[in-house]
Amino acid sequence: MAKNEIISGKKELDINAVTTCDATAQMLRKARRDGVETAFDRAANMKACPIGKDSACCKHCFMGPCRLNAKDPYSKVGVCGATIDTIMARNFARAVCAGSAAHTDHGMGMLDLFRDVLNGKIKDYGIKNPQKCIEVAASIGIETEDREFYDVAMDLYHELERTYTQVDGEIPFAKRVPAKTLETWRKEGIVPRGAMREIMELMHRSTMGVDQHYENITKACSRAALADGWGGSMVATEISDILFGTPSPVAVEVNMGVLKEDQVNIIIHGHEPNLFESMVESVNEPTLVQAAKDAGAKGINLVGMCCSGLEMFVRHGVPHAGNFMSTEAVLVTGAVDAMGVDVQCIKQGLVKVADCYKTPLITTNPRCHIEGATHVEFHEHDPKGCTDEIVIQAIGRFKNRSMPIEIPQIVNTGVHGFSHEYINYMLGGSFRASYTPLNDNIINGRIRGVAGVVGCTNPRMKQDYVHVELVKELIKNDVLVVQTGCSQIALAKAGLTTPEAAHLAGPGLKEVCETVGMPPVLGVGACVDNSRILIAVTEMVKTGGLGDSIADLPVAGCAPEFMSEKAIAIGQYFVASGVYTVFGVTFPIVEGTKFHKHLFQELEERGMGKWGFAVDPHDIAAKMIAHIDKKRKALGIDKARERVLMDMADRRDMEAA
Ligand code: BF8
Ligand code: SF4
């Protein structure tokens, strides 16, 4: 085995301290025996830079880089005179830009695909959900009655293109925003024009010598982030549903035990569903299935990881091997015959681990080449050219497997795929699909509120621990949890995404879950599908009884183990939309500064949400529940009370009175 340059002379990893995922721990022990290094080892041996951690440094020009003192933040300024607030706000802005760019570029790719499917240039994909196409078009004011499908769909394409290219005005999905929330945005000047404009302008503003007022920078951050949440991410979700189908709940298998020793195992890891959709075709291609059998395999086993996996398991029942901090560990099984990746959250460290186990690591997207990986470019007009090649390479590796295989025998089954449409149907039934039962149960106190628990895993935290402890505490307190991203996989591995997990919930939530037959923890999709949460909270406002804006709702959000700039963009669009959003791990802003006060307090005073920060799961839960209770109190529903339904006799009595 080719060993990578590891561990000698370095701090040894305390495996039990870095993960609660048993499969990952087992693989980290094997990695140690095999002399293989992972991000866990590197994190243990690389202290986070103490100045960068607090965002107290600036390298936006070459008079610097300038370092300020986080312990005494107003004692110094940069060479240009920039204050700590300017420096932190600009750094924050760059993270929002990068995160928003990632989601909006993904969404734009989906929109390009939609256009080329419609105009016939791409023939390997089709429109799986034309009904949703009509509904999305109608939701933004496109005429749909008595028109040809193609005409409506093309109008939708052109309208949604404005999400990116529009230079003035409001992005199309601003039409979906609750009226009072939109009014706040207009008053604050934060309605996004177009994503390209907002991201470009924010890059400009945050360069040396431009925007040097943290409040003004924050406004531009909100516009760029909202162009992600209500723009790029929402386009990605809606168009993916139109092209590939809207998810509905399905039982899926999660964890490394989904790998099969006697099959050709292929993992797809990344974010864009088009690659994975084509993989599903390739692994079912009779000639390739036969080739796998000729190589001695019982079949081809396609498995997802990270957000790609989340897009796919609810649409095709494809099993899922794990979240972000398990992507190197899964290769250590020796059972992965190929790993295909596209964009985002692909650690460069995968190259060496894959090399150690002779697993082909195949990059497929022109945006993401990795030195040492094989690049097989994916083209939407010939998707199988790429995905068939991944299968062929995997079969080749299977045939020549030369090292022992160890697959952790752990499989968890969960129910996932709670799209906004399905939540509507599930609660209201097919004849009266609506959010009224959810709102009623919040008003009567059976459900205390709703929490979004989302985001990454991060080797600076014990993997999955904060996600799981936090969610357990929330549901025990009757808070319904909705989830996206790697967090959802943490909870699936902990067994909380099953209807049976209702017994862990408080009495009110338990009763609702048992009546409806739903888990207390609802997986709604990948990170771009946080837009489904925006739609869900919008429906809660529009259904009535819980205030006039998203900021009035008894809801809160959290990314307790975040690591990505994308999470910062998501956090900012939730905050700007009106949601109290708590982050864990670390927060790149010095406490006690004006910028900190602005994000953690003043935005709420202006009718938006606000940021929060805590590391311990119980502290996070306490903050979120306190916020939910504060909103309940403001709505006058702080005392749990049954909603009394009036019958006809009551009405007559009232009218007579
Ligand atoms: O978009 S939760 S580690 S995989 S950034 Fe990445 Fe974080 Fe996972 Fe998906 Ni989201
Ligand atoms: Fe230093 Fe100002 Fe240049 Fe930043 S922009 S590196 S604070 S001189």
Side-chain angles (χ1 to χ4, degrees):
M1 177 183 308
K3 292 194 175 187
N4 68 10
E5 94 282 352
I6 169 70
I7 303 178
S8 54
K10 294 183 186 171
K11 201 167 140 191
E12 193 169 276
L13 196 64
D14 178 356
I15 292 170
N16 293 332
V18 298
T19 182
T20 58
C21 170
D22 292 334
T24 302
Q26 185 180 337
M27 287 305 98
L28 291 180
R29 283 191 285 276
K30 180 170 187 290
R32 178 178 293 161
R33 291 197 302 276
D34 294 349
V36 170
E37 183 188 89
T38 70
F40 286 106
D41 300 294
R42 291 186 290 274
N45 284 284
M46 186 185 290
K47 259 189 90 185
C49 165
I51 303 157
K53 182 168 134 312
D54 289 323
S55 198
C57 58
C58 178
K59 55 182 176 64
H60 290 195
C61 89
F62 298 90
M63 295 187 281
C66 300
R67 290 189 295 176
L68 272 57
N69 180 358
K71 301 239 159 19
D72 189 4
Y74 292 103
S75 62
K76 277 208 249 176
V77 293
V79 172
C80 66
T83 63
I84 187 80
D85 294 302
T86 297
I87 287 172
M88 292 187 302
R90 286 194 304 216
N91 290 341
F92 190 80
R94 290 284 165 104
V96 169
C97 273
S100 299
H103 292 139
T104 52
D105 199 27
H106 168 168
M108 198 167 192
M110 292 301 113
L111 200 57
D112 288 344
L113 176 58
F114 179 56
R115 178 199 58 224
D116 286 349
V117 166
L118 286 176
N119 65 24
K121 280 197 193 141
I122 288 178
K123 300 196 188 318
D124 290 79
Y125 299 95
I127 306 284
K128 284 239 177 77
N129 191 349
Q131 182 55 31
K132 174 138 188 182
C133 183
I134 306 288
E135 285 163 12
V136 175
S139 79
I140 53 172
I142 294 171
E143 186 54 57
T144 58
E145 291 288 312
D146 301 324
R147 295 186 69 202
E148 293 291 323
F149 174 78
Y150 175 86
D151 296 336
V152 174
M154 258 308 176
D155 280 1
L156 178 63
Y157 166 74
H158 287 297
E159 191 64 9
L160 292 185
E161 196 187 43
R162 295 201 292 113
T163 302
Y164 304 92
T165 55
Q166 182 171 270
V167 293
D168 205 6
E170 298 180 347
I171 55 168
F173 283 140
K175 292 198 179 80
R176 291 176 157 188
V177 178
K180 195 173 157 207
T181 303
L182 187 59
E183 193 186 306
T184 304
W185 291 4
R186 286 182 179 147
K187 191 167 86 231
E188 290 291 317
I190 59 168
V191 189
R193 294 161 293 181
M196 287 171 167
R197 174 141 220 182
E198 299 304 350
I199 293 166
M200 176 177 68
E201 188 181 299
L202 189 52
M203 288 300 285
H204 175 197
R205 281 168 183 249
S206 55
T207 197
M208 190 269 154
V210 188
D211 205 347
Q212 287 156 104
H213 197 306
Y214 62 94
E215 284 188 27
N216 208 37
I217 296 170
T218 306
K219 276 189 186 178
C221 286
S222 294
R223 277 205 302 274
L226 290 170
D228 170 356
W230 296 85
S233 281
M234 200 171 279
V235 169
T237 297
E238 301 295 52
I239 295 296
S240 297
D241 283 358
I242 291 168
L243 288 170
F244 307 126
T246 303
S248 59
V250 54
V252 275
E253 294 188 331
V254 177
N255 219 324
M256 288 190 206
V258 301
L259 296 174
K260 305 273 182 276
E261 182 157 2
D262 54 5
Q263 297 199 24
V264 175
N265 293 301
I266 301 174
I267 289 187
I268 296 297
H269 155 37
H271 284 80
E272 298 191 346
N274 45 357
L275 171 70
F276 216 141
E277 288 284 340
S278 179
M279 278 307 307
V280 172
E281 300 279 311
S282 289
V283 299
N284 287 304
E285 178 68 49
T287 53
L288 293 174
V289 174
Q290 191 54 47
K293 289 193 173 147
D294 292 346
K298 284 226 172 95
I300 306 172
N301 183 32
L302 181 63
V303 170
M305 286 197 93
C306 289
C307 284
S308 278
L310 287 163
E311 292 266 2
M312 296 310 294
F313 70 176
V314 288
R315 292 198 178 103
H316 294 281
V318 174
H320 197 291
N323 58 24
F324 175 68
M325 279 315 293
S326 302
T327 55
E328 289 168 309
V330 79
L331 294 172
V332 178
T333 59
V336 182
D337 297 302
M339 180 182 268
V341 299
D342 53 21
V343 288
Q344 301 171 20
C345 305
I346 322 288
K347 299 185 196 83
Q348 190 163 359
L350 288 173
V351 173
K352 276 191 176 171
V353 184
D355 192 42
C356 290
Y357 297 95
K358 300 193 171 61
T359 297
L361 178 72
I362 301 163
T363 54
T364 59
N365 192 292
R367 297 166 184 81
C368 172
H369 289 228
I370 306 178
E371 193 185 346
T374 307
H375 189 75
V376 180
E377 193 137 321
F378 176 80
H379 299 284
E380 280 150 343
H381 60 264
D382 176 26
K384 287 183 79 235
C386 169
T387 52
D388 284 358
E389 176 59 23
I390 294 175
V391 178
I392 290 163
Q393 292 209 16
I395 294 170
R397 195 269 187 184
F398 179 90
K399 232 189 295 190
N400 298 310
R401 279 186 189 173
S402 57
M403 52 194 74
I405 285 173
E406 179 182 332
I407 300 172
Q409 294 303 314
I410 307 171
V411 177
N412 311 100
T413 305
V415 180
H416 299 251
F418 293 88
S419 58
H420 139 71
E421 288 87 342
Y422 195 82
I423 294 175
N424 209 12
Y425 162 78
M426 170 176 74
L427 293 167
S430 53
F431 294 110
R432 52 181 185 97
S434 93
Y435 274 65
T436 306
L438 175 64
N439 282 24
D440 282 352
N441 279 311
I442 292 173
I443 292 165
N444 68 29
R446 278 196 197 93
I447 295 177
R448 193 171 191 160
V450 179
V453 180
V454 306
C456 326
T457 51
N458 181 326
R460 304 275 174 211
M461 306 299 292
K462 191 173 188 174
Q463 183 190 7
D464 299 341
Y465 167 76
V466 194
H467 290 293
V468 174
E469 289 304 303
L470 168 62
V471 170
K472 277 189 185 162
E473 186 154 341
L474 289 170
I475 63 170
K476 198 171 75 194
N477 284 282
D478 291 321
V479 176
L480 175 67
V481 173
V482 291
Q483 292 214 280
T484 61
C486 290
S487 183
Q488 190 182 155
I489 295 305
L491 271 297
K493 288 187 290 179
L496 266 81
T497 56
T498 58
E500 295 71 40
H503 78 274
L504 295 168
L509 178 60
K510 180 168 175 262
E511 190 189 331
V512 174
C513 289
E514 285 176 350
T515 307
V516 180
M518 70 179 194
V521 178
L522 304 178
V524 304
C527 279
V528 288
D529 297 325
N530 280 311
S531 60
R532 298 193 202 275
I533 301 179
L534 294 176
I535 299 292
V537 292
T538 298
E539 286 300 318
M540 286 167 69
V541 173
K542 291 185 176 168
T543 298
L546 293 173
D548 302 325
S549 77
I550 296 173
D552 294 335
L553 295 172
V555 303
C558 182
E561 300 182 28
F562 90 101
M563 65 85 200
S564 170
E565 289 168 314
K566 290 183 289 171
I568 298 279
I570 292 167
Q572 185 63 23
Y573 74 62
F574 271 106
V575 167
S577 299
V579 179
Y580 175 50
T581 305
V582 186
F583 268 36
V585 189
T586 183
F587 203 87
I589 295 178
V590 178
E591 266 194 81
T593 55
K594 287 184 270 184
F595 182 50
H596 189 277
K597 187 176 175 202
H598 190 58
L599 293 191
F600 282 66
Q601 182 183 323
E602 289 165 359
L603 293 182
E604 187 180 48
E605 292 160 7
R606 297 180 182 197
M608 290 170 264
K610 65 177 177 182
W611 284 88
F613 172 68
V615 177
D616 177 83
H618 308 292
D619 293 345
I620 300 174
K623 281 176 185 283
M624 293 171 80
I625 292 168
H627 179 82
I628 284 170
D629 287 350
K630 180 175 94 176
K631 294 294 174 185
R632 292 187 67 87
K633 191 162 187 209
L635 289 165
I637 55 168
D638 48 327
K639 296 210 175 45
R641 57 198 163 108
E642 290 294 325
R643 184 163 171 266
V644 183
L645 293 172
M646 285 189 293
D647 61 20
M648 287 309 286
D650 292 331
R651 273 185 212 285
R652 275 195 301 271
D653 288 349
M654 271 181 68
E655 277 157 20

